[in-house]
Amino acid sequence: MNLGILLFVIIYEIITVVGVGVIIARKNKNANKEGNFAFAGKGLSTAHVGVTLALTMLGSAHIWGTCENAAGMGSIAVWFGIGCTVMMIVITQVTGPWVRKIGTATVPDLFGKLFGRKTKFITACVMGPLVFGCLCLETQCIAVTFVACTGWSYTVGAIVGGAFGILYVLIAGMKEVSWLNMINAVFMYGALIIALIAMFVYLPGNGWADVATTLEDMGNGWMLDIFGNKDLIINFAIPTIFTTSIFQGVSQMGLQTCISADGVKSVKKSIWLAGPVNGLFCIIPALLGMAALALGYLTTSGSAMFMTPAMLLDVLPHWVVALICASFLGALLSTFAMTSLCPATIFAYDLYGGLYKKNASEKEKTKVMRIMIVVVGILAIILSNFQPTVVTTINWIFTWGTPLFVMLVLGITWKRNTKAAIITFFVSWIVNIIWITCGLQDKLAASTPWVANFHQIYLCLIVSVVLGIVLTLVLPGTKPGYFKLSKEEQKAL
């Protein structure tokens, strides 16, 4: 066990997570004020919105997921960061200002305003589990980080990391998350710069030059090209842009920070922080992943997920590894916190407050949220022991947001039809399941090769757009879009 690394990481997390949480909780005299726990009293400044958005979306797929991807596709793995930059533009310039202007508390509530009560509860029942799926992947990568810096078993790493993730949000809610993100963002990029410099110094032989030469000798010289090859562009790079932008552009995970902002201007201006802080991060994990592959750690570690941590421990001084682990863990815990807070918010506001107890006070909702944060956190720790490929699973989860995004855009800017929305939702979700989960794509690809690169996002997007537009036009009961209503009509929804 690397005791020095472990102590540094544990002490850093205790000081930041527990210390910041307790300080904010003590200063927060209006803890039961409406929206204070879940939405920071809707008072987050531009800086807090930008950094919180960046770190909320900077999790498993950016860190160990990109290292893992680099083993199979090389530098094109950074396209996940490019996709997330486009995602930040969509959130901060389009859907984020929409939800902040409309004033809704949750995404299901937004769909309820647009398409009716049934749509609200359908969205709540789907959105919560999807975000929970992301939470399981975050827990998996938190466990990997602890394995890297401690030598603990995967399960122990998941338990300890999950406990810190719960505390990251449990003490003071959204305000705690936003302040911790400000601290971790500075620490994270400082640690990454040190790590990159250390890699130049401590890599065996001629350093990065040998990495490139080895990849070429292995017949993987194409991995050094950010455009990879045609198949990867079609089946990974472009779909990643669509999946990240579409899902997070309409998910509670992507929009809760915007709902918590002090105004629409803060949301729009936050792009200057959210875009660079999030989008640039993937570069370094991709480089680390390719170095681990070239040095043979994929073979010695037996796993694309564990090869990069194994290399870091062997190659770099332990004080550098401690910085890397603490910074990675800070980013992962931020995403863990938000992916536990978001389903808890949906449960408290849309299901508990919407179905069970409509007159529930803010104090009761906060209590329910805290209970749910602990419950989903524990479940994620248990389920994280099943280890799917991170980025592949993320893209599958994100595709479920396609019909939601399409109908949101139609319902706000054009026309609204409840039946059209519900039919579009379910047909797109069924198509996604049949295409991927039931293996239809693989079966068709055996006789029709081009189908192998026809990512499910293309299929679901075509289905959602065509069905959404056609059904809205032909089905009875169509109403004007939200922005075509008068202010009085908007308030009445």
Side-chain angles (χ1 to χ4, degrees), residues 230-273:
K230 182 183 71 175
D231 288 345
L232 286 173
I233 289 290
I234 296 173
N235 197 33
F236 173 75
I238 296 175
T240 294
I241 294 174
F242 278 117
T243 54
T244 54
S245 301
I246 287 174
F247 179 78
Q248 298 295 19
V250 73
S251 77
Q252 186 71 24
M253 181 180 170
L255 296 176
Q256 186 142 343
T257 304
C258 299
I259 295 169
S260 305
D262 59 13
V264 172
K265 287 185 179 179
S266 292
V267 175
K268 289 187 173 182
K269 290 192 294 183
S270 68
I271 183 60
W272 301 109
L273 279 171

Side-chain angles (χ1 to χ4, degrees), residues 384-443:
S384 69
N385 285 277
F386 303 93
Q387 300 180 45
T389 302
V390 173
V391 176
T392 301
T393 308
I394 285 284
N395 279 337
W396 183 85
I397 290 173
F398 283 6
T399 304
W400 282 68
T402 305
L404 297 172
F405 184 87
V406 170
M407 296 312 298
L408 174 67
V409 173
L410 295 180
I412 286 183
T413 64
W414 185 47
K415 294 180 180 181
R416 297 173 292 128
N417 186 292
T418 301
K419 291 182 180 179
I422 294 175
I423 293 172
T424 301
F425 291 170
F426 281 99
V427 171
S428 179
W429 294 334
I430 292 170
V431 165
N432 190 22
I433 292 172
I434 293 174
W435 190 249
I436 297 298
T437 311
C438 297
L440 179 60
Q441 182 184 21
D442 292 337
K443 293 175 183 177

Side-chain angles (χ1 to χ4, degrees), residues 40 59 75 86 148 206 217 235 241 294 300-301 341-342 424 428:
S75 57
V86 177
N206 293 318
D217 292 342
N235 197 33
I241 294 174
T300 58
S301 68
L341 176 61
C342 290
T424 301
S428 179

